[in-house]
Amino acid sequence: ATALMAAGADGLVVESFADPAEALLAAAAARGAGARFILATLSFEGPSKHYRTMMGATPEEAAGALAAAGVTALGLNCGTNPSAMVEVARRMRAAVPGTMPIAAKPNAGLPGGPRTGDAAPEGPEAFAAIARDLAAAGATLIGGCCGTTPAHLAAVRAALAGAHA
């Protein structure tokens, strides 16, 4: 964090945490290094895991802890099925209502694995539809994680054009 800030970064993104305590440590390191903007995200499992992180944190617990720690923005990235992120985003927004930016950066689908060879089964149009649902759920910073391509992000931009005007 110190090296990045010394190199001219204005802020830092700390992401993909499974435990809010880890995200809080990373945010504290970013703050201690002088970051003016800190985006902290966690990865959540889908409905079969009750929308929790691998370490068992709920969206409400994670959002509350990060907001209380004073991050600039919080949210979720990576994880499992991208459509499952909609429920997590909705719950995070409910936990921190108001102007706190909520970020959502889903994968472009679950990897198909070695049998199918599919790296990212969600095509750009399906991904854009999920982005619209994320915006409706309260996410205000929407992007992509594993498997997203420029085509995915272009589709998201087109789908959300004017949504937050």
Side-chain angles (χ1 to χ4, degrees), residues 47-72:
S48 66
K49 301 289 185 177
H50 308 289
Y51 301 103
R52 293 178 179 263
T53 67
M54 184 174 62
M55 300 306 291
T58 68
E60 295 83 0
E61 291 165 344
L66 291 168
V71 298
T72 313

PDB file of all heavy atoms in Angstrom, residues 47-72:
ATOM      1  N   PRO A  47     -26.873 -19.176  -3.151  1.00  0.00           N
ATOM      2  CA  PRO A  47     -27.962 -19.581  -2.250  1.00  0.00           C
ATOM      3  C   PRO A  47     -27.712 -20.876  -1.500  1.00  0.00           C
ATOM      4  O   PRO A  47     -28.148 -21.022  -0.361  1.00  0.00           O
ATOM      5  CB  PRO A  47     -29.174 -19.701  -3.165  1.00  0.00           C
ATOM      6  CG  PRO A  47     -28.709 -19.478  -4.541  1.00  0.00           C
ATOM      7  CD  PRO A  47     -27.304 -19.002  -4.520  1.00  0.00           C
ATOM      8  N   SER A  48     -27.007 -21.819  -2.109  1.00  0.00           N
ATOM      9  CA  SER A  48     -26.766 -23.089  -1.414  1.00  0.00           C
ATOM     10  C   SER A  48     -25.899 -22.897  -0.175  1.00  0.00           C
ATOM     11  O   SER A  48     -25.901 -23.743   0.718  1.00  0.00           O
ATOM     12  CB  SER A  48     -26.119 -24.108  -2.353  1.00  0.00           C
ATOM     13  OG  SER A  48     -24.813 -23.685  -2.714  1.00  0.00           O
ATOM     14  N   LYS A  49     -25.156 -21.805  -0.112  1.00  0.00           N
ATOM     15  CA  LYS A  49     -24.320 -21.485   1.052  1.00  0.00           C
ATOM     16  C   LYS A  49     -24.911 -20.309   1.834  1.00  0.00           C
ATOM     17  O   LYS A  49     -24.241 -19.666   2.621  1.00  0.00           O
ATOM     18  CB  LYS A  49     -22.889 -21.153   0.621  1.00  0.00           C
ATOM     19  CG  LYS A  49     -22.202 -22.265  -0.128  1.00  0.00           C
ATOM     20  CD  LYS A  49     -21.867 -23.426   0.782  1.00  0.00           C
ATOM     21  CE  LYS A  49     -21.075 -24.459  -0.008  1.00  0.00           C
ATOM     22  NZ  LYS A  49     -20.662 -25.561   0.798  1.00  0.00           N
ATOM     23  N   HIS A  50     -26.170 -20.003   1.584  1.00  0.00           N
ATOM     24  CA  HIS A  50     -26.912 -18.970   2.309  1.00  0.00           C
ATOM     25  C   HIS A  50     -26.311 -17.578   2.140  1.00  0.00           C
ATOM     26  O   HIS A  50     -26.371 -16.756   3.050  1.00  0.00           O
ATOM     27  CB  HIS A  50     -27.055 -19.334   3.789  1.00  0.00           C
ATOM     28  CG  HIS A  50     -27.608 -20.705   3.995  1.00  0.00           C
ATOM     29  ND1 HIS A  50     -28.913 -21.025   3.730  1.00  0.00           N
ATOM     30  CD2 HIS A  50     -27.009 -21.844   4.388  1.00  0.00           C
ATOM     31  CE1 HIS A  50     -29.108 -22.305   3.972  1.00  0.00           C
ATOM     32  NE2 HIS A  50     -27.973 -22.832   4.367  1.00  0.00           N
ATOM     33  N   TYR A  51     -25.735 -17.334   0.968  1.00  0.00           N
ATOM     34  CA  TYR A  51     -25.180 -16.009   0.646  1.00  0.00           C
ATOM     35  C   TYR A  51     -24.183 -15.537   1.696  1.00  0.00           C
ATOM     36  O   TYR A  51     -24.243 -14.423   2.183  1.00  0.00           O
ATOM     37  CB  TYR A  51     -26.300 -14.980   0.477  1.00  0.00           C
ATOM     38  CG  TYR A  51     -27.280 -15.338  -0.606  1.00  0.00           C
ATOM     39  CD1 TYR A  51     -28.524 -15.858  -0.289  1.00  0.00           C
ATOM     40  CD2 TYR A  51     -26.958 -15.155  -1.946  1.00  0.00           C
ATOM     41  CE1 TYR A  51     -29.434 -16.185  -1.284  1.00  0.00           C
ATOM     42  CE2 TYR A  51     -27.857 -15.485  -2.948  1.00  0.00           C
ATOM     43  CZ  TYR A  51     -29.093 -15.991  -2.607  1.00  0.00           C
ATOM     44  OH  TYR A  51     -29.987 -16.322  -3.597  1.00  0.00           O
ATOM     45  N   ARG A  52     -23.257 -16.383   2.038  1.00  0.00           N
ATOM     46  CA  ARG A  52     -22.219 -16.050   3.015  1.00  0.00           C
ATOM     47  C   ARG A  52     -20.846 -16.146   2.350  1.00  0.00           C
ATOM     48  O   ARG A  52     -20.682 -16.788   1.327  1.00  0.00           O
ATOM     49  CB  ARG A  52     -22.270 -17.006   4.208  1.00  0.00           C
ATOM     50  CG  ARG A  52     -23.530 -16.840   5.038  1.00  0.00           C
ATOM     51  CD  ARG A  52     -23.558 -17.846   6.184  1.00  0.00           C
ATOM     52  NE  ARG A  52     -24.739 -17.676   6.990  1.00  0.00           N
ATOM     53  CZ  ARG A  52     -24.776 -16.978   8.113  1.00  0.00           C
ATOM     54  NH1 ARG A  52     -23.704 -16.372   8.564  1.00  0.00           N
ATOM     55  NH2 ARG A  52     -25.896 -16.869   8.798  1.00  0.00           N
ATOM     56  N   THR A  53     -19.877 -15.521   2.994  1.00  0.00           N
ATOM     57  CA  THR A  53     -18.509 -15.688   2.528  1.00  0.00           C
ATOM     58  C   THR A  53     -18.042 -17.079   2.919  1.00  0.00           C
ATOM     59  O   THR A  53     -18.686 -17.771   3.716  1.00  0.00           O
ATOM     60  CB  THR A  53     -17.554 -14.657   3.161  1.00  0.00           C
ATOM     61  OG1 THR A  53     -17.447 -14.930   4.557  1.00  0.00           O
ATOM     62  CG2 THR A  53     -18.005 -13.234   2.918  1.00  0.00           C
ATOM     63  N   MET A  54     -16.897 -17.485   2.390  1.00  0.00           N
ATOM     64  CA  MET A  54     -16.345 -18.794   2.729  1.00  0.00           C
ATOM     65  C   MET A  54     -16.144 -18.935   4.240  1.00  0.00           C
ATOM     66  O   MET A  54     -16.249 -20.026   4.794  1.00  0.00           O
ATOM     67  CB  MET A  54     -15.014 -18.988   2.000  1.00  0.00           C
ATOM     68  CG  MET A  54     -14.397 -20.348   2.186  1.00  0.00           C
ATOM     69  SD  MET A  54     -12.926 -20.602   1.174  1.00  0.00           S
ATOM     70  CE  MET A  54     -11.836 -19.341   1.793  1.00  0.00           C
ATOM     71  N   MET A  55     -15.887 -17.836   4.932  1.00  0.00           N
ATOM     72  CA  MET A  55     -15.682 -17.870   6.376  1.00  0.00           C
ATOM     73  C   MET A  55     -16.979 -17.658   7.162  1.00  0.00           C
ATOM     74  O   MET A  55     -16.958 -17.565   8.381  1.00  0.00           O
ATOM     75  CB  MET A  55     -14.641 -16.826   6.784  1.00  0.00           C
ATOM     76  CG  MET A  55     -13.279 -17.059   6.132  1.00  0.00           C
ATOM     77  SD  MET A  55     -12.601 -18.712   6.399  1.00  0.00           S
ATOM     78  CE  MET A  55     -12.245 -18.632   8.136  1.00  0.00           C
ATOM     79  N   GLY A  56     -18.115 -17.555   6.464  1.00  0.00           N
ATOM     80  CA  GLY A  56     -19.411 -17.508   7.133  1.00  0.00           C
ATOM     81  C   GLY A  56     -20.009 -16.141   7.376  1.00  0.00           C
ATOM     82  O   GLY A  56     -21.072 -16.039   7.991  1.00  0.00           O
ATOM     83  N   ALA A  57     -19.392 -15.083   6.908  1.00  0.00           N
ATOM     84  CA  ALA A  57     -19.938 -13.734   7.130  1.00  0.00           C
ATOM     85  C   ALA A  57     -21.133 -13.483   6.221  1.00  0.00           C
ATOM     86  O   ALA A  57     -21.127 -13.858   5.049  1.00  0.00           O
ATOM     87  CB  ALA A  57     -18.863 -12.684   6.879  1.00  0.00           C
ATOM     88  N   THR A  58     -22.156 -12.836   6.761  1.00  0.00           N
ATOM     89  CA  THR A  58     -23.321 -12.457   5.965  1.00  0.00           C
ATOM     90  C   THR A  58     -23.042 -11.132   5.257  1.00  0.00           C
ATOM     91  O   THR A  58     -22.146 -10.370   5.662  1.00  0.00           O
ATOM     92  CB  THR A  58     -24.563 -12.284   6.854  1.00  0.00           C
ATOM     93  OG1 THR A  58     -24.370 -11.147   7.697  1.00  0.00           O
ATOM     94  CG2 THR A  58     -24.857 -13.534   7.673  1.00  0.00           C
ATOM     95  N   PRO A  59     -23.824 -10.815   4.231  1.00  0.00           N
ATOM     96  CA  PRO A  59     -23.673  -9.506   3.588  1.00  0.00           C
ATOM     97  C   PRO A  59     -23.860  -8.349   4.566  1.00  0.00           C
ATOM     98  O   PRO A  59     -23.148  -7.343   4.501  1.00  0.00           O
ATOM     99  CB  PRO A  59     -24.762  -9.505   2.515  1.00  0.00           C
ATOM    100  CG  PRO A  59     -24.984 -10.945   2.205  1.00  0.00           C
ATOM    101  CD  PRO A  59     -24.790 -11.655   3.524  1.00  0.00           C
ATOM    102  N   GLU A  60     -24.798  -8.513   5.493  1.00  0.00           N
ATOM    103  CA  GLU A  60     -25.070  -7.454   6.468  1.00  0.00           C
ATOM    104  C   GLU A  60     -23.879  -7.248   7.400  1.00  0.00           C
ATOM    105  O   GLU A  60     -23.504  -6.095   7.696  1.00  0.00           O
ATOM    106  CB  GLU A  60     -26.326  -7.792   7.281  1.00  0.00           C
ATOM    107  CG  GLU A  60     -27.604  -7.825   6.469  1.00  0.00           C
ATOM    108  CD  GLU A  60     -27.866  -9.145   5.737  1.00  0.00           C
ATOM    109  OE1 GLU A  60     -27.048 -10.091   5.838  1.00  0.00           O
ATOM    110  OE2 GLU A  60     -28.897  -9.234   5.051  1.00  0.00           O
ATOM    111  N   GLU A  61     -23.301  -8.333   7.878  1.00  0.00           N
ATOM    112  CA  GLU A  61     -22.137  -8.229   8.764  1.00  0.00           C
ATOM    113  C   GLU A  61     -20.969  -7.568   8.051  1.00  0.00           C
ATOM    114  O   GLU A  61     -20.315  -6.674   8.597  1.00  0.00           O
ATOM    115  CB  GLU A  61     -21.715  -9.616   9.249  1.00  0.00           C
ATOM    116  CG  GLU A  61     -22.699 -10.264  10.195  1.00  0.00           C
ATOM    117  CD  GLU A  61     -22.454 -11.760  10.384  1.00  0.00           C
ATOM    118  OE1 GLU A  61     -21.736 -12.396   9.584  1.00  0.00           O
ATOM    119  OE2 GLU A  61     -23.013 -12.291  11.366  1.00  0.00           O
ATOM    120  N   ALA A  62     -20.706  -8.005   6.837  1.00  0.00           N
ATOM    121  CA  ALA A  62     -19.584  -7.456   6.076  1.00  0.00           C
ATOM    122  C   ALA A  62     -19.794  -5.977   5.781  1.00  0.00           C
ATOM    123  O   ALA A  62     -18.894  -5.151   6.008  1.00  0.00           O
ATOM    124  CB  ALA A  62     -19.402  -8.238   4.781  1.00  0.00           C
ATOM    125  N   ALA A  63     -20.968  -5.627   5.291  1.00  0.00           N
ATOM    126  CA  ALA A  63     -21.239  -4.226   4.952  1.00  0.00           C
ATOM    127  C   ALA A  63     -21.172  -3.337   6.186  1.00  0.00           C
ATOM    128  O   ALA A  63     -20.590  -2.250   6.148  1.00  0.00           O
ATOM    129  CB  ALA A  63     -22.605  -4.106   4.281  1.00  0.00           C
ATOM    130  N   GLY A  64     -21.750  -3.794   7.268  1.00  0.00           N
ATOM    131  CA  GLY A  64     -21.727  -2.996   8.499  1.00  0.00           C
ATOM    132  C   GLY A  64     -20.319  -2.759   9.011  1.00  0.00           C
ATOM    133  O   GLY A  64     -19.967  -1.646   9.396  1.00  0.00           O
ATOM    134  N   ALA A  65     -19.501  -3.801   9.001  1.00  0.00           N
ATOM    135  CA  ALA A  65     -18.129  -3.668   9.492  1.00  0.00           C
ATOM    136  C   ALA A  65     -17.311  -2.736   8.611  1.00  0.00           C
ATOM    137  O   ALA A  65     -16.570  -1.879   9.114  1.00  0.00           O
ATOM    138  CB  ALA A  65     -17.466  -5.044   9.565  1.00  0.00           C
ATOM    139  N   LEU A  66     -17.439  -2.880   7.300  1.00  0.00           N
ATOM    140  CA  LEU A  66     -16.667  -2.030   6.394  1.00  0.00           C
ATOM    141  C   LEU A  66     -17.123  -0.577   6.463  1.00  0.00           C
ATOM    142  O   LEU A  66     -16.297   0.340   6.461  1.00  0.00           O
ATOM    143  CB  LEU A  66     -16.759  -2.563   4.964  1.00  0.00           C
ATOM    144  CG  LEU A  66     -16.046  -3.885   4.725  1.00  0.00           C
ATOM    145  CD1 LEU A  66     -16.429  -4.468   3.372  1.00  0.00           C
ATOM    146  CD2 LEU A  66     -14.539  -3.721   4.834  1.00  0.00           C
ATOM    147  N   ALA A  67     -18.428  -0.353   6.523  1.00  0.00           N
ATOM    148  CA  ALA A  67     -18.933   1.015   6.637  1.00  0.00           C
ATOM    149  C   ALA A  67     -18.477   1.654   7.940  1.00  0.00           C
ATOM    150  O   ALA A  67     -18.046   2.814   7.960  1.00  0.00           O
ATOM    151  CB  ALA A  67     -20.458   1.030   6.528  1.00  0.00           C
ATOM    152  N   ALA A  68     -18.540   0.904   9.031  1.00  0.00           N
ATOM    153  CA  ALA A  68     -18.101   1.433  10.324  1.00  0.00           C
ATOM    154  C   ALA A  68     -16.610   1.762  10.324  1.00  0.00           C
ATOM    155  O   ALA A  68     -16.175   2.673  11.033  1.00  0.00           O
ATOM    156  CB  ALA A  68     -18.426   0.437  11.439  1.00  0.00           C
ATOM    157  N   ALA A  69     -15.840   1.039   9.516  1.00  0.00           N
ATOM    158  CA  ALA A  69     -14.401   1.276   9.439  1.00  0.00           C
ATOM    159  C   ALA A  69     -14.065   2.486   8.572  1.00  0.00           C
ATOM    160  O   ALA A  69     -12.910   2.892   8.499  1.00  0.00           O
ATOM    161  CB  ALA A  69     -13.693   0.040   8.893  1.00  0.00           C
ATOM    162  N   GLY A  70     -15.067   3.028   7.894  1.00  0.00           N
ATOM    163  CA  GLY A  70     -14.852   4.247   7.125  1.00  0.00           C
ATOM    164  C   GLY A  70     -14.319   4.070   5.722  1.00  0.00           C
ATOM    165  O   GLY A  70     -13.729   5.004   5.169  1.00  0.00           O
ATOM    166  N   VAL A  71     -14.542   2.889   5.104  1.00  0.00           N
ATOM    167  CA  VAL A  71     -14.125   2.759   3.713  1.00  0.00           C
ATOM    168  C   VAL A  71     -14.963   3.715   2.856  1.00  0.00           C
ATOM    169  O   VAL A  71     -16.057   4.119   3.247  1.00  0.00           O
ATOM    170  CB  VAL A  71     -14.257   1.313   3.194  1.00  0.00           C
ATOM    171  CG1 VAL A  71     -13.371   0.361   3.985  1.00  0.00           C
ATOM    172  CG2 VAL A  71     -15.694   0.844   3.185  1.00  0.00           C
ATOM    173  N   THR A  72     -14.437   4.072   1.716  1.00  0.00           N
ATOM    174  CA  THR A  72     -15.141   4.977   0.817  1.00  0.00           C
ATOM    175  C   THR A  72     -16.273   4.268   0.098  1.00  0.00           C
ATOM    176  O   THR A  72     -17.324   4.853  -0.158  1.00  0.00           O
ATOM    177  CB  THR A  72     -14.159   5.546  -0.225  1.00  0.00           C
ATOM    178  OG1 THR A  72     -12.984   5.986   0.450  1.00  0.00           O
ATOM    179  CG2 THR A  72     -14.769   6.681  -0.993  1.00  0.00           C
TER     180      THR A  72
END
